[in-house]
Amino acid sequence: MSEYVNKILEGLKKSNPGQDIFIQAATEVLHSLAPLLSREEKYQKHAILERITIPERAVHFRVTYIDDNKNVCVHNGWRIQFNSAIGPYKGGLRFHPSVNAGVLKFLGFEQIFKNSLTGVAIGGAKGGADFDPKGKSDREIMKFCHSFMDELYRHIGNTTDVPAGDIGVGGREIGYLFGQYKKLTGRFDGILTGKGLGWGGSLARTEATGYGLTYFTEQMLKRAGLGLEGKKCCVSGSGNVAIYTIEKLYQVGALPITASDSGGFIYDEEGIDVALIKELKELKRARLSEYVKFRPHAKYTPIERYPAGRNGVWSVPCDGAFPCATQNELNLADIKTLYANGCRFVSEGANMPSTLEAMEFMLGKKDFYFAPAKAANAGGVATSGLEMMQNAGMDSWSFDEVDRRLQGIMKHIFELSYETSKEFGDEGNLVLGANIAGFRKVADAMIDQGYV
């Protein structure tokens, strides 16, 4: 079976040159499916691997706008609609200079299985542009979003494809995108999630990924007879996922002691000041280096002081780590340092933040617990699905109702992933369990629907 998987991966490398991060994601998923593929011949017979690794549709388009200096600015835009076997395409839009087709294919591929695990009827997609909102005026961002939607609206619909936000796309950007969609189509529908609360958004959506990550981690540690209370936790990032992971960690009795951004990281041994980091990042859109002006006992380390090839935030001794920033931010050297300093669990809040080598190290330790992203960070897209339900019913649920449903979904994802790992003889390997469980549901739907 490994020969079959390797053949598929070699074909992907040839047909996707330079898209190493997409190949990395495919390698992780496909190799973990080996026990299922050996047991069930139907997946090879119906060429599911060959089909599921190619997007159903990939749209690449030009985005132009006039900046405040009256210069014409040109960017690339994409929407990768990967799989719709179990529901309309669902996945975020990312605005960042690093965005390219390979990054979005990696994210869209991961989204297939993540969305499947939630139990919500949504397929996998991703989109975005190589545009950086940082340093731009509100007017420039609005003009860019309007131009982006001028093309995107042709390819989306509330039963076709429902985008959300991601890195660089928050409430402001969603508002501008929705306004242009409404102008172009004359429709007011649930075409985007992450909307404002006054016009179709859902309570708890902002908090959902971070809260869900913590709920999943609680379930993982509980199964091992452990808990989060009293644990010192290192968190990377300072966006929504990181901030609300930090907030929920406090609520369950843990002590989050780090946060980071593209400029460096802070270490606050007394615990990260949630109100302060929200003010800096959500209101002022300031750099994290400003934190120490208000908390002088904290330590800020700029990125240029990190050892070569390392992420400085993982040098801080802790009980558990929550990578919530970006892909491949936790490498083999980083995880070895964390382990040597007493860290015994990692819960992924970002998409694929651990390299394959780091993941292999964690899975090889009997005294270590690893919560992979496609299971652990599914709370955000799950709550987007709940927002779609509210929109469809022209309803609005309370924060507690959404949070209750989120807790139930994260518990379901953990139990499904754990029981699947047990079914296939590797109890506790949540990478294997999540990948097989997510894949099996989508693959069976693809077989039911024929060769489309």
Side-chain angles (χ1 to χ4, degrees):
M1 193 53 60
S2 60
E3 182 179 346
Y4 168 55
V5 168
N6 288 335
K7 180 182 176 182
I8 299 297
L9 290 171
E10 284 304 311
L12 285 178
K13 290 175 184 177
K14 290 179 181 178
S15 60
N16 299 276
Q19 297 181 6
D20 294 345
I21 196 159
F22 170 54
I23 300 303
Q24 178 185 338
T27 299
E28 182 245 300
V29 172
L30 267 57
H31 278 304
S32 67
L33 296 176
L36 174 65
L37 298 174
S38 297
R39 179 190 295 186
E40 298 280 358
E41 295 181 358
K42 63 181 180 179
Y43 299 117
Q44 185 170 352
K45 176 184 175 183
H46 289 272
I48 296 298
L49 295 190
E50 291 89 336
R51 292 159 60 193
I52 207 169
T53 51
I54 298 176
E56 293 174 3
R57 186 177 297 102
V59 183
H60 180 198
F61 51 93
R62 181 177 65 230
V63 186
T64 61
Y65 74 101
I66 307 295
D67 69 14
D68 291 344
N69 295 318
K70 298 184 180 181
N71 297 313
V72 178
C73 301
V74 184
H75 294 275
N76 291 280
W78 290 270
R79 187 64 178 170
I80 311 293
Q81 296 173 327
F82 230 111
N83 193 285
S84 61
I86 63 172
Y89 304 109
K90 188 83 188 79
L93 298 171
R94 176 176 293 191
F95 292 169
H96 193 271
S98 66
V99 167
N100 56 46
V103 168
L104 295 177
K105 284 168 73 174
F106 134 61
L107 293 167
F109 183 70
E110 289 275 294
Q111 204 78 42
I112 300 170
F113 312 107
K114 180 191 302 187
N115 293 0
S116 172
L117 288 169
T118 67
V120 181
I122 43 179
K126 209 74 179 182
D130 54 1
F131 167 77
D132 191 355
K134 291 181 180 177
K136 305 293 193 304
S137 70
D138 284 352
R139 181 186 177 280
E140 288 173 321
I141 292 169
M142 179 182 68
K143 296 293 287 184
F144 176 84
C145 289
H146 287 177
S147 184
F148 186 87
M149 185 55 76
D150 284 345
E151 177 62 33
L152 184 66
Y153 88 98
R154 310 169 195 273
H155 312 288
I156 59 179
N158 59 359
T159 59
T160 305
D161 184 352
V162 184
D166 193 78
I167 294 172
V169 180
R172 172 183 56 180
E173 289 77 17
I174 292 292
Y176 294 150
L177 290 164
F178 184 84
Q180 187 70 353
Y181 173 84
K182 185 160 61 73
K183 178 181 178 181
L184 291 166
T185 64
R187 296 197 298 270
F188 193 111
D189 54 37
I191 187 57
L192 292 161
T193 55
K195 299 184 291 299
L197 295 177
W199 43 280
S202 175
L203 289 164
R205 176 60 188 90
T206 303
E207 296 87 351
T209 306
Y211 278 25
L213 176 63
T214 309
Y215 294 145
F216 188 94
T217 305
E218 284 188 301
Q219 292 294 322
M220 177 179 71
L221 296 180
K222 181 180 178 182
R223 182 59 68 100
L226 303 170
L228 275 169
E229 187 172 0
K231 298 291 192 299
K232 289 185 177 181
C233 301
C234 283
V235 179
S236 67
S238 52
N240 278 347
V241 181
I243 288 172
Y244 291 100
T245 297
I246 290 169
E247 181 171 275
K248 180 55 71 170
L249 284 171
Y250 274 123
Q251 292 176 16
V252 300
L255 184 68
I257 55 177
T258 66
S260 67
D261 63 12
S262 59
F265 80 93
I266 51 171
Y267 166 49
D268 189 335
E269 63 181 358
E270 295 180 5
I272 296 296
D273 186 323
V274 180
L276 175 56
I277 203 170
K278 283 184 180 180
E279 180 181 357
L280 292 174
K281 287 298 181 179
E282 295 181 344
L283 299 178
K284 296 182 177 179
R285 302 183 189 275
R287 306 302 298 167
L288 203 57
S289 56
E290 297 292 304
Y291 183 95
V292 294
K293 293 181 180 178
F294 302 91
R295 302 267 287 184
H297 65 273
K299 180 181 178 182
Y300 175 75
T301 303
I303 196 167
E304 56 266 22
R305 294 184 189 170
Y306 295 0
R310 300 291 302 280
N311 187 339
V313 74
W314 308 130
S315 65
V316 178
C318 62
D319 299 303
F322 292 80
C324 296
T326 191
Q327 62 265 16
N328 286 334
E329 59 171 298
L330 178 62
N331 62 30
L332 181 59
D334 293 326
I335 189 59
K336 285 183 174 180
T337 297
L338 281 168
Y339 187 80
N341 286 337
C343 178
R344 287 300 178 267
F345 66 90
V346 166
S347 293
E348 296 185 323
N351 291 303
M352 203 171 72
S354 305
T355 65
L356 290 174
E357 295 79 12
M359 189 179 298
E360 184 178 357
F361 177 90
M362 290 185 277
L363 292 174
K365 296 293 182 182
K366 297 299 183 183
D367 61 342
F368 202 92
Y369 306 95
F370 177 52
K374 65 173 60 66
N377 80 0
V381 73
T383 306
S384 284
L386 299 180
E387 182 177 331
M388 292 167 67
M389 293 180 196
Q390 292 170 77
N391 292 166
M394 299 185 73
D395 199 1
S396 180
W397 302 337
S398 69
F399 187 101
D400 288 344
E401 172 65 12
V402 177
D403 191 41
R404 181 186 65 79
R405 290 178 183 240
L406 172 61
Q407 290 183 58
I409 290 170
M410 298 313 297
K411 182 178 180 182
H412 161 76
I413 293 173
F414 171 77
E415 290 177 346
L416 176 62
S417 301
Y418 190 91
E419 292 303 319
T420 304
S421 75
K422 192 174 178 180
E423 175 189 349
F424 285 90
D426 196 357
E427 184 172 356
N429 182 342
L430 299 178
V431 174
L432 179 145
N435 283 336
I436 290 180
F439 171 87
R440 186 158 51 178
K441 179 179 177 180
V442 175
D444 288 348
M446 291 173 69
I447 292 172
D448 290 345
Q449 294 167 23
Y451 303 125
V452 293

